Amino acid sequence: PQGVPCAGGHHCCPRGSHCSADGESCITSPGTGGSHMAPRAVPCPDGQSECPDNATCCVTASGTWGCCPMPQASCCADKVHCCPHATVCDLAHGRCLSPAGDVPLGTPFPAWKRQPPVPAVTLHQVLCPDGRSVCPDGATCCQLPSAQYGCCPLQNAVCCSDRQHCCPQGTACDLERSTCTSSGGWARPLASLPKARDVKCDEETSCPDGSTCCRLSSGAWGCCPLEEAVCCPDHVHCCPQGYTCDPEGGSCLQEGGHRQPWLQKTPALARGGDVKCDEETSCPDGNTCCRLSLGTWGCCP
């Protein structure tokens, strides 16, 4: 609970510790003497921004990271406000709802960069636990009945046990009444889960939703983090739609002379094949075939 995400997005550390520079271990800050401790910072999931200790990283409307001036805060769906830990955003009334009484919504301030930003348009996406599916920034991966992942359009959401709905952080799924309820007696309708999409390069390979398949110099597929992008002939870079690649300037050129930095491609992800139980039956990728009491095949996720 309340883990600290490490740069790179593959590891995390317990609250009160921080990730080592190589992202392989967790370092607990020594000593408890308040004034002697170096000011700690909370790294944001993009691996480049950070917020002061006792603040929380929240995605802002512009897609950049902001800092909510409260520890373990709830980031509101409007990407403009935030609420204290274990309270719920009530955007209609501009309040944070909790059993102890309501408080006004808080406002995040801009996060600062841990290192100079890369001059490129990066696409922040949430990688789901299967390592293949991706959801848009500010969404939450929730498993669907098919064992694939869907995207709940809320940050840090609660995935319901029916694998079809989700609820805001700090609430519980009430499947009988089809509502999300909070301990303060507040309820709202359940949100349904759209499927996590990906862009097919070929039968074996795919790229995250909102990107374009481009060949790398090795001949393998790479992913350009832009929709309908232009793949550059150097097999390394790509440009937005309507631009041409300018290898001399190392940038993307538009007809009117407008330039912007070009982007680097990332390797494409292998598309999961199904797991074969026998000639007629298969389970989704990442599952195991197990016999049921009837002698038929079942899928263990």
Side-chain angles (χ1 to χ4, degrees):
Q2 293 108 43
V4 178
C6 300
H10 293 293
H11 299 95
C12 59
C13 286
R15 181 165 167 79
S17 66
H18 61 277
C19 311
S20 62
D22 61 5
E24 294 297 321
S25 55
C26 300
I27 302 161
T28 310
S29 306
T32 48
S35 58
H36 303 295
M37 286 180 69
R40 289 211 305 274
V42 177
C44 299
D46 64 350
Q48 290 171 8
S49 314
E50 62 185 14
C51 289
D53 194 30
N54 286 333
T56 305
C57 298
C58 288
V59 179
T60 65
S62 65
T64 56
W65 286 94
C67 304
C68 176
M70 309 167 212
Q72 304 155 47
S74 301
C75 305
C76 299
D78 65 353
K79 297 190 178 184
V80 177
H81 297 97
C82 60
C83 283
H85 179 61
T87 68
V88 178
C89 305
D90 177 4
L91 297 173
H93 303 100
R95 311 289 291 167
C96 302
L97 306 181
S98 89
D102 302 347
V103 292
L105 292 174
T107 313
F109 52 91
W112 61 87
K113 294 287 173 199
R114 299 174 72 175
Q115 59 238 36
V118 188
V121 187
T122 50
L123 192 81
H124 301 302
Q125 287 181 319
V126 179
L127 188 68
C128 299
D130 62 358
R132 283 202 328 275
S133 311
V134 284
C135 286
D137 194 24
T140 303
C141 298
C142 286
Q143 233 176 348
L144 298 167
S146 64
Q148 287 174 300
Y149 278 88
C151 305
C152 175
L154 303 165
Q155 240 182 322
N156 304 330
V158 175
C159 304
C160 300
S161 59
D162 66 351
R163 293 193 177 189
Q164 288 174 342
H165 297 93
C166 60
C167 284
Q169 185 180 17
T171 68
C173 304
D174 181 346
L175 298 173
E176 282 177 27
R177 295 184 186 82
S178 293
T179 57
C180 303
T181 55
S182 79
S183 46
W186 168 87
R188 62 167 274 181
L190 294 173
S192 56
L193 296 171
K195 195 177 163 215
R197 293 200 305 276
D198 53 10
V199 178
K200 215 168 145 175
C201 302
D202 59 27
E203 285 312 308
E204 284 89 50
T205 329
S206 65
C207 285
D209 188 29
S211 57
T212 305
C213 299
C214 286
R215 291 273 184 200
L216 302 170
S217 46
S218 64
W221 285 107
C223 305
C224 175
L226 297 165
E227 277 188 80
E228 294 179 37
V230 175
C231 306
C232 295
D234 68 352
H235 295 299
V236 177
H237 297 94
C238 57
C239 286
Q241 195 181 12
Y243 283 75
T244 52
C245 305
D246 175 16
E248 260 103 77
S251 59
C252 303
L253 196 60
Q254 210 176 18
E255 262 186 47
H258 178 68
R259 275 178 193 278
Q260 75 166 57
W262 61 10
L263 296 164
Q264 257 188 300
K265 293 179 280 204
T266 54
L269 302 162
R271 288 173 68 82
D274 284 351
V275 177
K276 249 173 110 164
C277 304
D278 60 26
E279 288 311 308
E280 283 93 48
T281 328
S282 66
C283 285
D285 185 40
N287 279 238
T288 302
C289 299
C290 290
R291 289 274 184 200
L292 300 171
S293 53
L294 303 168
T296 54
W297 286 106
C299 303
C300 175

